[in-house]
Amino acid sequence: MDLDLRLVRYFTVVAEYGNFGRAAIGLHLAQPSLSRQIQRLEAQLGVRLFDRSPQGTSLTDAGRAFLPGARTLLHEAERAARTARAAVQPRTITVGCAEGLVITAWVQELRRRHPDDRIRTRHLDWRDTRALAEGRIEALVAYRPLPFPTDGFRVTRLHEESRVLLTSASHHLAHEKAVSLRALADEELVACASTPVVWSTPKPVGDRPAPPPPAIDDSYEDKLELIATGHCVAIFPAGDRRAAVREDIALVPVTDIDPCEVVLVTRADDPDPLLGSLEDAARTLLATTPRTRAH
């Protein structure tokens, strides 16, 4: 009999949780899909493995008999896989992350899937546009627009993020639950060419004259000062939470602006399967995590 190890693993997880709903969450699956997979395994074995009732899920006699062997089967399969991987030189990839993005969960999932490989991360300043081309990283997770030409690169869209307005805490829009672009009609908004951020042209505040607009060499913190002092507003991806730690800056969802895209960028001629696994890990986690929305 050819047993699908994936189905065997699903069985052991349901047995561990004693509940299809909690097991589905742990496996990053929809509960109906998990139920169908267990039914497939039961059909292959020709026995019923679980008793299902409103009070919960329990193993049948056949399920209790199958569980020790199932765990041994999975353990031996993993040991065989580790032995095969140990026979070759461990691979190393460095995943670059553009500022404002958090990819911790994706990289942790990739490390879980490839425990014998070396997976590193490097957070990049938006001006560090040559890291991928120069081989200092093998993959880049970034927002569109990208700050470099994409010829010779593979660009894969991962997901979309809504956007938020950043204002000073004293701004008249700071306490709104959400705003539209119409509320910013008196602001002169200028979109950045190489990031998804939109800045307003600085204005005077009271008797304080308008400072110069943000310069290329200004740090992120320098630019936040323009917002915190009320001279400027900006529109950022909702997932960029760096400004949220400041009590003098408010983040307000924007309802009628196009979302920004998060993409995975790799060299088009790089065949490393770890890169495909990174994309799959990101998509798997994104499918089971609520998308970033206005809230």
Side-chain angles (χ1 to χ4, degrees):
M1 178 181 295
D2 293 328
L3 283 181
D4 186 334
L5 290 180
R6 181 172 54 95
L7 302 183
V8 175
R9 176 171 174 260
Y10 292 168
F11 161 74
T12 62
V13 174
V14 176
E16 177 184 347
Y17 281 98
N19 182 283
F20 271 82
R22 291 195 296 271
I25 293 172
L27 289 165
H28 305 301
L29 290 175
Q31 184 174 337
S33 175
L34 178 58
S35 295
R36 288 193 297 270
Q37 302 305 324
I38 295 299
Q39 288 168 1
R40 282 183 56 200
L41 179 61
E42 290 175 325
Q44 285 184 7
L45 295 173
V47 296
R48 188 162 47 87
L49 298 171
F50 293 103
D51 282 325
R52 303 165 179 83
S53 70
Q55 287 72 41
T57 301
S58 60
L59 287 165
T60 64
D61 289 343
R64 282 190 291 273
F66 181 57
L67 183 58
R71 286 172 172 162
T72 299
L73 185 63
L74 292 173
H75 175 75
E76 289 300 318
E78 177 58 29
R79 189 167 69 89
R82 286 198 304 268
T83 301
R85 288 193 295 263
V88 299
Q89 186 71 20
R91 293 170 296 178
T92 299
I93 66 167
T94 301
V95 182
C97 177
E99 57 184 353
L101 279 164
V102 178
I103 60 170
T104 305
W106 306 356
V107 172
Q108 284 181 331
E109 174 65 12
L110 188 62
R111 286 171 176 155
R112 186 191 69 78
R113 296 183 184 190
H114 304 276
D116 297 319
D117 293 317
R118 300 188 183 99
I119 296 131
R120 301 170 178 164
T121 58
R122 175 174 293 173
H123 286 262
L124 302 173
D125 185 277
W126 69 271
R127 290 164 290 195
D128 195 357
T129 61
R130 297 286 302 165
L132 190 58
E134 292 174 354
R136 287 182 279 127
I137 59 174
E138 282 69 48
L140 171 67
V141 181
Y143 289 111
R144 269 185 170 146
L146 295 166
F148 53 83
T150 57
D151 296 343
F153 295 103
R154 184 188 305 111
V155 181
T156 305
R157 177 182 172 276
L158 294 176
H159 74 120
E160 292 182 341
E161 280 187 9
S162 55
R163 305 200 198 197
V164 293
L165 173 70
L166 271 62
T167 72
S168 69
S170 59
H171 193 279
H172 68 280
L173 297 175
H175 300 291
E176 296 291 326
K177 291 185 178 179
V179 298
S180 73
L181 289 176
R182 293 189 300 275
L184 303 174
D186 61 338
E187 302 283 355
E188 184 180 348
L189 299 176
V190 180
C192 292
S194 56
T195 75
V197 178
V198 177
W199 291 93
S200 70
T201 301
K203 299 189 301 186
V205 176
D207 58 356
R208 290 174 290 159
I216 291 179
D217 291 334
D218 285 350
S219 70
Y220 174 78
E221 288 73 19
D222 292 331
K223 295 172 182 177
L224 286 187
E225 289 301 317
L226 292 175
I227 299 172
T229 54
H231 289 290
C232 191
V233 300
I235 297 174
F236 270 62
D240 186 342
R241 306 295 297 173
R242 290 175 293 172
V245 299
R246 295 190 54 151
E247 295 182 355
D248 53 0
I249 292 179
L251 282 68
V252 185
V254 182
T255 59
D256 55 353
I257 189 172
D258 290 339
C260 53
E261 290 185 347
V262 177
V263 296
L264 174 67
V265 190
T266 57
R267 291 184 292 276
D269 58 353
D270 193 335
D272 194 326
L274 273 177
L275 300 176
S277 189
L278 171 63
E279 178 185 341
D280 182 66
R283 292 191 184 282
T284 298
L285 292 176
L286 287 167
T288 57
T289 303
R291 297 290 180 87
T292 304
R293 298 184 183 274
H295 60 280

